[in-house]
Amino acid sequence: GAGVSQSPSNKVTEKGKDVELRCDPISGHTALYWYRQSLGQGLEFLIYFQGNSAPDKSGLPSDRFSAERTGGSVSTLTIQRTQQEDSAVYLCASSLMPGLQETQYFGPGTRLLVL
Amino acid sequence: AQSVTQLGSHVSVSEGALVLLRCNYSSSVPPYLFWYVQYPNQGLQLLLKYTSAATLVKGINGFEAEFKKSETSFHLTKPSAHMSDAAEYFCAVSLQGAQKLVFGQGTRLTINP
């Protein structure tokens, strides 16, 4: 079946602009995660959604970052007033259900470059 | 706090040689451990995971890993390297109390012909 998809695959933007990154999880998966992969920081957790529960936003680096998940499916990560340090690959993952031993399936990522 | 340490940011082996990628974890309770592989310009793909059912875990592409509680290790091995194994490998642990993975810094594996 179809895996996790993300769009766009690449995004170049100017410092100060807002960007939206989209994630389509695997159909039927209830849990959705966003991670960021950068040269200096490695792979970092950003945010987690599960059903109608309040999201775990503990990994968001600043209030310029926000995310939502509509209808328990598609998720959008928004970065306002982008900075050069936001340049990274943003990875989305989903799992069938929540749980520490559940496999997270990753999308191909969105490569963001802030000039 | 739980964390993982991958020893060696870059490992190079000859085709046909043993692959050994090291991962150590710090955890006050038995963890769930994962190995993921990332090929260039792709997302992460699960190789295998330890969920306490068996200490020796077999994964895809001939990889396996052994959970050793006494050494707090979960090293990844493959008896005979193939050129297609060239990629970056990440060890990760599920974080108790939160639904997220904590990743090691990654090990880039190069295969020499």
Side-chain angles (χ1 to χ4, degrees), chain B residues 10-28:
Chain B
H10 191 187
V11 170
S12 182
V13 302
S14 298
E15 189 174 19
L18 171 71
V19 175
L20 170 61
L21 304 182
R22 300 177 186 274
C23 173
N24 288 87
Y25 67 91
S26 63
S27 174
S28 58

Side-chain angles (χ1 to χ4, degrees), chain B residues 30-113:
Chain B
Y32 296 113
L33 293 157
F34 303 78
W35 274 100
Y36 280 86
V37 61
Q38 185 177 35
Y39 298 102
N41 299 315
Q42 295 187 26
L44 279 70
Q45 179 183 5
L46 181 72
L47 278 175
L48 49 82
K49 64 180 179 181
Y50 168 74
T51 58
S52 76
T55 57
L56 182 62
V57 182
K58 294 187 182 299
I60 63 171
N61 301 339
F63 284 93
E64 64 181 36
E66 186 172 8
F67 174 73
K68 292 187 176 179
K69 184 177 179 181
S70 61
E71 299 177 8
T72 61
S73 69
F74 191 56
H75 302 330
L76 182 71
T77 61
K78 181 173 180 177
S80 178
H82 192 273
M83 295 300 291
S84 61
D85 295 327
E88 188 148 19
Y89 292 78
F90 293 92
C91 183
V93 63
S94 287
L95 189 62
Q96 291 287 348
Q99 301 289 343
K100 62 184 178 183
L101 292 173
V102 175
F103 288 90
Q105 287 299 309
T107 297
R108 183 168 300 278
L109 177 64
T110 301
I111 311 297
N112 301 313

Side-chain angles (χ1 to χ4, degrees), chain A:
Chain A
V4 177
S5 61
Q6 294 186 243
S7 60
S9 54
N10 291 280
K11 177 71 177 180
V12 180
T13 190
E14 294 179 349
K15 177 181 174 181
K17 301 283 189 181
D18 298 350
V19 294
E20 285 189 352
L21 312 180
R22 176 187 169 103
C23 172
D24 284 85
I26 294 172
S27 178
H29 280 198
T30 63
L32 186 146
Y33 313 77
W34 284 97
Y35 293 86
R36 179 170 71 174
Q37 184 175 25
S38 57
L39 283 176
Q41 301 298 323
L43 272 158
E44 306 171 280
F45 165 80
L46 295 177
I47 189 169
Y48 158 71
F49 294 91
Q50 169 54 34
N52 295 321
S53 302
D56 175 358
K57 304 179 182 179
S58 60
L60 294 179
S62 77
D63 59 7
R64 296 186 295 104
F65 288 72
S66 63
E68 63 177 17
R69 188 179 185 191
T70 54
S73 182
V74 172
S75 177
T76 302
L77 177 69
T78 301
I79 309 173
Q80 296 179 308
R81 305 181 303 281
T82 52
Q83 303 294 312
Q84 289 183 331
E85 61 263 29
D86 299 334
S87 296
V89 177
Y90 290 81
L91 294 166
C92 176
S94 69
S95 62
L96 182 60
M97 59 187 69
L100 298 180
Q101 60 183 303
E102 288 296 313
T103 298
Q104 295 183 24
Y105 296 86
F106 284 79
T110 293
R111 189 174 300 272
L112 175 66
L113 178 61
V114 182
L115 301 176

